[in-house]
Amino acid sequence: MCQYIKTMQFSCSWKNVTVFTMLGRQLLSYKRFVAFVMIVGCISMMIMCMKLRHHHLRKHKKSIVNKADLNDVIDNWSGWLWKHTEPTTIAPTDSAVLSDQAEHFDIEYNPPLRRGLTCNDLMDSASIETLTVRMNVAVVNKNVTISDAMFHTLTTTDDCRYFAYSRGYTSKPVTQEELDFPLAFGILIHKDVYQFEQLLRTIYRPQNSYCIHVDKLAPDDVHIAVQSIVKCFKNVYIASQLVHVAWGTSSRITAEMACQLDALKRNKKWKYFINLTGQDFPLKTNIEIVRILREFNGQNDIMNTREVHLNRLFYVHKDIADVVVNTYTLRTDPLPKNINVRRGDLPCALSRQFVQYLHHSDAGKDWLKWLDKSSFPEESFYHSLASTSSVPGGPGPRDVSQIISRVNSWSIDNQTCNGERVNRVCIYTWEQLPWLTRQPHLFANRFDASRDGLVLRCLEEALNRRTYSPVAFNTGVYKIFAETRLLNSTEQSWQILA
């Protein structure tokens, strides 16, 4: 070292040690500088790669789907302020990032309204007829038509976090009361994934459990589209057993039972199981549903009447090419022990204890096996078992002709229907929004976005508003109902208006 320094006209003596120290410091500074340049270079290359990938994704998405701008959607649905207490939601992505990623999901989110018309106008109008003329010119298109083949291109694995937040899954506040009272849902679908996704995002909460049964014979596009959604959520899953659901056969019960069993295995805490279809939609927020079901105190919400169709039960029926045929051969096998045949509509809210009884008791298994040769067994399966006093949740032997779980407008009930009727059930339109918002029920059936998506848009908007700004809530109405099982024209009394 001394020889090297001498060649640089320095003397190798202790007097010049300060020169050696200075050279060392300069060498270390040079290494730090090189390291800094390398780090900056790596970061720059990573940013360039991300930009190139983002540009490629945007180009690829646009080549698959012809879509419109979603910026208004982000403003309307993802920009809600968190006004509720005790939120336990995922922190929102930076708004600039959301806006930049919006092109990945730039589909027409809901039918647009013009000329200053709002959903509040449609829901709160005292005379809906006065809005008819304005509606004809204000709504560009009431229908929502996004094909199932197109839908699965909107939910890639890389976009799951953005998809969940921008669609409102993880941006909603959740209270401790809701966390302490989780729910389980079984949803049966066979088409219209867009409408199903609107239902799912509206009822979704992270503590709940959601089993999706997709008809085994549904088109591949439906299965792929649903899979692209459920893979983004740990508590949303496809039923482990899929069957083809044929109208009037026991397959409907089989599908629901598959979801119940999965829900029991996956989530040990849920309190009630609510059965839905893709054509249902909520009338209440999650916290409202929780408070309503709390008033039931473990009781089931099941219709239970003595009006039984004897020919459907006591003649042998066969399923021939998805058509239930009565052979007019009287059954010779006796009813299972302790079964008192009852009848009711299928929609219900079942306590966890009752669902466990269905799956683990011999009575439940024997009754389901006996019903396999009947037609429309879903009208008697839950109902007959629940009429036995010893079965958990009841309602026991008393007649129950009304439920709070679901509202339908049947032609036999002389309910007004502004839309079409399919199998005697009304397909709701925007003109029935004032009536729907007054109902005390948890859900309504039936909706069809391809006929009128505006009614769903406005109901979802109202639910989102109450989710972030809850209204005064009259649980006394439901406590009385749980005791009497009579609605007594309660309509708007479920909500105490300020």
Side-chain angles (χ1 to χ4, degrees):
M1 175 62 73
C2 288
Q3 294 299 324
Y4 175 75
I5 295 177
K6 284 181 180 180
T7 61
M8 298 179 64
Q9 298 181 350
F10 289 101
S11 61
C12 188
S13 67
W14 291 109
K15 295 180 180 180
N16 294 320
V17 70
T18 55
V19 176
F20 182 86
T21 303
M22 183 172 63
L23 286 173
R25 289 177 178 174
Q26 290 177 347
L27 183 61
L28 289 174
S29 298
Y30 175 75
K31 289 182 177 180
R32 290 192 186 100
F33 175 76
V34 171
F36 174 77
V37 171
M38 292 177 65
I39 292 171
V40 171
C42 290
I43 293 174
S44 300
M45 291 179 65
M46 290 173 62
I47 293 174
M48 290 178 63
C49 290
M50 291 173 65
K51 287 185 175 180
L52 287 172
R53 182 177 180 274
H54 180 63
H55 175 74
H56 172 72
L57 284 172
R58 289 170 60 185
K59 184 176 180 181
H60 178 64
K61 292 283 184 180
K62 289 181 179 179
S63 66
I64 296 177
V65 183
N66 181 21
K67 308 171 242 156
D69 192 4
L70 232 198
N71 288 331
D72 291 337
V73 175
I74 302 300
D75 293 338
N76 291 337
W77 295 104
S78 299
W80 285 95
L81 294 175
W82 294 1
K83 299 179 181 178
H84 204 279
T85 57
E86 302 177 6
T88 57
T89 54
I90 295 176
T93 307
D94 181 77
S95 58
V97 176
L98 290 179
S99 179
D100 187 45
Q101 294 183 2
E103 293 182 42
H104 292 277
F105 300 92
D106 51 357
I107 61 176
E108 185 178 283
Y109 199 73
N110 277 305
L113 285 166
R114 292 183 177 177
R115 294 178 179 264
L117 198 63
T118 68
C119 282
N120 278 340
D121 295 329
L122 305 184
M123 290 186 289
D124 300 334
S125 174
S127 178
I128 199 72
E129 291 81 4
T130 61
L131 292 172
T132 303
V133 176
R134 288 183 63 194
M135 284 293 297
N136 288 336
V137 295
V139 179
V140 177
N141 184 6
K142 294 185 299 182
N143 304 332
V144 177
T145 52
I146 298 177
S147 70
D148 297 328
M150 180 189 299
F151 198 91
H152 72 269
T153 66
L154 308 175
T155 53
T156 63
T157 302
D158 292 340
D159 292 319
C160 270
R161 185 170 182 265
Y162 172 74
F163 173 81
Y165 179 77
S166 67
R167 307 290 263 193
Y169 289 91
T170 54
S171 60
K172 295 183 178 73
V174 180
T175 66
Q176 188 62 45
E177 184 178 2
E178 293 171 277
L179 293 175
D180 293 339
F181 202 91
L183 304 170
F185 296 87
I187 309 175
L188 274 59
I189 68 168
H190 65 282
K191 63 174 184 176
D192 299 336
V193 179
Y194 173 88
Q195 187 172 329
F196 153 72
E197 193 270 335
Q198 186 175 15
L199 166 65
L200 181 63
R201 69 175 180 248
T202 305
I203 64 175
Y204 179 86
R205 297 297 185 278
Q207 75 278 7
N208 294 340
S209 181
Y210 303 87
C211 174
I212 317 303
H213 182 279
V214 186
D215 193 294
K216 190 174 183 179
L217 298 186
D220 290 342
D221 288 334
V222 175
H223 286 272
I224 294 172
V226 174
Q227 289 170 0
S228 71
I229 296 171
V230 303
K231 70 182 179 184
C232 292
F233 308 97
K234 293 182 179 180
N235 59 332
V236 183
Y237 47 91
I238 296 175
S240 57
Q241 177 189 2
L242 300 182
V243 299
H244 171 50
V245 179
W247 189 63
T249 70
S250 59
S251 57
R252 175 69 186 272
I253 302 176
T254 303
E256 285 196 4
M257 295 279 281
C259 271
Q260 291 169 8
L261 190 58
D262 288 343
L264 287 171
K265 292 178 179 178
R266 285 175 171 262
N267 187 317
K268 307 298 183 182
K269 297 182 179 180
W270 58 263
K271 309 297 184 182
Y272 276 87
F273 179 91
I274 300 175
N275 58 351
L276 300 172
T277 71
Q279 292 183 304
D280 293 324
F281 204 75
L283 301 179
K284 302 291 179 286
T285 65
N286 190 77
I287 185 63
E288 290 168 355
I289 293 175
V290 165
R291 289 175 178 172
I292 290 169
L293 291 179
R294 277 188 182 278
E295 296 299 333
F296 278 74
N297 194 28
Q299 297 182 74
N300 300 314
D301 183 38
I302 301 178
M303 188 180 293
N304 184 8
T305 70
R306 292 185 175 89
E307 299 175 0
V308 179
H309 295 303
L310 296 177
N311 64 325
R312 292 182 176 182
L313 288 172
F314 295 101
Y315 284 97
V316 176
H317 290 75
K318 291 185 178 180
D319 178 12
I320 302 176
D322 286 350
V323 177
V324 179
V325 177
N326 189 345
T327 65
Y328 294 100
T329 302
L330 280 171
R331 302 185 63 161
T332 57
D333 49 334
L335 284 170
K337 185 179 179 180
N338 296 327
I339 287 294
N340 182 20
V341 179
R342 294 296 185 101
R343 178 187 173 274
D345 293 338
L346 181 59
C348 53
L350 308 177
S351 70
R352 185 184 185 94
Q353 292 73 22
F354 181 74
V355 173
Q356 290 173 328
Y357 174 83
L358 294 177
H359 289 269
H360 302 308
S361 69
D362 291 336
K365 297 174 183 177
D366 293 343
W367 181 225
L368 181 59
K369 182 178 179 181
W370 192 92
L371 285 172
D372 190 51
K373 294 180 181 180
S374 65
S375 66
F376 298 96
E378 71 271 14
E379 294 181 350
S380 295
F381 179 61
Y382 300 139
H383 320 78
S384 300
L385 291 170
S387 68
T388 304
S389 300
S390 60
V391 173
R398 60 175 169 172
D399 276 9
V400 175
S401 59
Q402 295 176 315
I403 57 171
I404 210 73
S405 300
R406 199 93 75 260
V407 62
N408 295 90
S409 293
W410 292 87
S411 57
I412 56 176
D413 295 330
N414 297 319
Q415 294 276 10
T416 302
C417 181
N418 297 96
E420 301 178 45
R421 289 192 182 274
V422 177
N423 294 328
R424 299 182 297 169
V425 180
C426 181
I427 307 297
Y428 295 121
T429 68
W430 66 268
E431 294 168 285
Q432 288 169 279
L433 280 167
W435 181 82
L436 286 167
T437 55
R438 292 195 304 269
Q439 300 310 301
H441 301 78
L442 308 185
F443 291 82
N445 174 280
R446 173 178 313 171
F447 298 92
D448 188 342
S450 65
R451 287 183 170 93
D452 191 329
L454 181 59
V455 61
L456 292 172
R457 166 194 169 151
C458 290
L459 287 175
E460 183 181 14
E461 182 177 308
L463 289 168
N464 279 343
R465 186 179 300 110
R466 294 208 305 273
T467 295
Y468 291 90
S469 300
V471 299
F473 189 65
N474 183 7
T475 57
V477 168
Y478 300 99
K479 184 176 182 179
I480 294 173
F481 175 79
E483 295 171 353
T484 66
R485 302 303 172 108
L486 297 173
L487 289 175
N488 291 328
S489 301
T490 56
E491 281 200 350
Q492 202 166 355
S493 61
W494 68 268
Q495 181 177 324
I496 303 174
L497 302 177

